[in-house]
Amino acid sequence: MKYVILGNGPAGVSALVAIRELDPAGEITVVSPETWRYYSKILLTRWIAGKVRFPNLFLAGEGFYDRNGVKTLFGVAATRIDPERPVVELSNRQRLDYDRLLLAMGSSPQVPDIRGIRLPGVHYLRTFDDAERIALAAPSARRAVVIGGGLVSLKTAEGLLARGLEVWVVVSSDRLLSQITAPEDSEAVLRIFQGPPGLHIVLGCDVSELEGRGRVEEAHLSTGERVECDIVVVGKGVTPNILVTRGTGIATARGVIVDGRMQTSVPGIYAAGDIAECYDIARGKAALNALWSSAVWQGRVAGYNMAGRDVSYAGDVALNSVTFGGGCVVALGRPRPEAGDEVHTLAGKGGGEYARLVFRDGRLVGAVLTGRAVETAGVLRSLIVRQADATPIMDRLLGGRTSYPRILNLKLSVSGIAS
Ligand SMILES: Cc1cc2nc3c(=O)[nH]c(=O)nc-3n(C[C@H](O)[C@H](O)[C@H](O)COP(=O)(O)OP(=O)(O)OC[C@H]3O[C@@H](n4cnc5c(N)ncnc54)[C@H](O)[C@@H]3O)c2cc1C
């Protein structure tokens, strides 16, 4: 059997491990335009900050691919798929025929429509090469502008602050982490990111233009303010890399549509990770959840099915967490309430701890947590995964109006239900 895996991130690598487990003799080829062996994207901002050493970024040793009998084609991208032949064409004009194909190409940063966005000195952060460009620019830089207030932007801002830069985070929305929180969380979330010297957060504001002679020197804000800067990092979301599916008959929406076995609408072609629209338990429907752990599970399920074992993906619950300084915010499941949901908000004294829980028909579907309340994230996630009726434990979940210990006790008291 010939397996071709497009992508060398967590989805692709988990699939190759699963395939090899079931099929010791199959021919596996992994294709990636990046030249590095499997590494952690989650650690990139900590590497920029100088808090993680380069060798510790890698999740696979030098001999990983050889040991697994896997052929690597690094530094080349898939450009076209022909499911009729069936064959994949690569950017180096090579053609690979396959029996089973996995699409695990992840996503790419969105490029906002801002004048000057192509100037040198404007960066994105998706790959190690991106991180290296930012890290190389940091020592000679004084001030950075980060466009966007999402998870990657905030982690990047922390990394640059650690390198001694002054950082302006400019956010279109009137709150941080707007994709994974609700408006009522804005104060509690903002509190986590306030305080470090050198960090300026500007909410409800756009960068209207980037200007500079030869490289970026100034950001024009929609407030009329101008911020001199040496580096700009753009974090305005990502788009799944689905371009190569065009004309193949593979059904797509925002991402690639898959069934419960991670197979696309074209038999023999599978998809996993950031590129795939998979069942989201809290939403009760398919969604794009750009999460490392989801990519690992989906890749594994895809790999098993590609190698002939019938395995289903049970679905996932989003868990996004951002630590910043000493604080942390966690968003679980579907934190944004919809009509008919029941919402309970608990805030500790001084606002240091905060939990907002969203229920649907007595079942927990989402939560936003800060302070010590984040310690309950694992338990709350289990409740969402199991979609168990939370009514019998509602008193304990909600506790007293400001009593976080009651939520924290949940870990002990529901262990039999949520394990
Ligand atoms: C800075 C940063 C921080 C993050 N922090 C977190 C976090 O804290 N927690 C969390 O859960 N998630 C985090 N994520 C998201 C997480 O990294 C992704 O959800 C995860 O990497 C998705 O895995 P994937 O295998 O689907 O795609 P990727 O990891 O993006 O891998 C895609 C692979 O496909 C390759 N590729 C691209 N185009 C082609 C092509 N045409 N042909 C062949 N190969 C191609 C790429 O080179 C790459 O090897 C973070 C992401 C970034 C960038």
Side-chain angles (χ1 to χ4, degrees), residues 312-346:
S312 293
Y313 179 67
D316 202 3
V317 167
L319 192 163
N320 284 287
S321 75
V322 190
T323 50
F324 193 90
C328 181
V329 51
V330 172
L332 282 170
R334 174 172 68 72
R336 270 191 249 166
E338 295 175 356
D341 287 348
E342 199 181 319
V343 180
H344 294 273
T345 304
L346 301 104

Side-chain angles (χ1 to χ4, degrees), residues 6-11 31-34 41-42 77-78 104-106 125-126 151-152 155 241 273-274 290-292 295:
L6 304 181
N8 185 39
V31 178
S32 169
E34 294 175 76
K41 289 187 162 60
I42 295 176
M105 296 95 80
L125 182 52
R126 181 73 201 171
L151 186 141
V152 171
K155 286 179 169 212
N241 291 324
D274 279 12
L291 293 169
W292 189 276

Side-chain angles (χ1 to χ4, degrees), residues 213-235:
R213 277 161 302 162
R215 56 175 300 109
V216 70
E217 290 171 346
E218 197 171 64
H220 299 194
L221 309 192
S222 54
T223 51
E225 209 167 344
R226 292 181 175 213
V227 183
E228 277 181 26
C229 56
D230 320 279
I231 298 180
V232 170
V233 183
V234 183

Side-chain angles (χ1 to χ4, degrees), residues 27 36 40 42 51 66 83 100 110 112 121 128 137 228 232 292 310 321 396 408:
E27 196 180 293
W36 303 100
S40 170
I42 295 176
K51 291 183 177 159
D66 284 347
R100 300 281 182 276
Q110 287 177 10
F128 174 74
E228 277 181 26
V232 170
W292 189 276
D310 193 5
S321 75
R396 284 185 184 281
L408 299 172

Side-chain angles (χ1 to χ4, degrees), residues 5-13 31-36 38-45 76-79 90 103-108 125-127 151-152 155-156 238 241 244 272-276 289-296 298 319-321:
I5 296 175
L6 304 181
N8 185 39
V13 171
V31 178
S32 169
E34 294 175 76
T35 52
W36 303 100
Y38 182 36
Y39 64 87
S40 170
K41 289 187 162 60
I42 295 176
L43 294 178
L44 290 178
T45 52
V76 284
T79 50
L90 307 181
L103 311 178
M105 296 95 80
S107 41
S108 296
L125 182 52
R126 181 73 201 171
T127 64
L151 186 141
V152 171
K155 286 179 169 212
T156 306
V238 291
N241 291 324
V244 289
D274 279 12
I275 199 171
N289 274 336
L291 293 169
W292 189 276
S293 56
S294 303
V296 167
Q298 292 164 14
L319 192 163
N320 284 287
S321 75

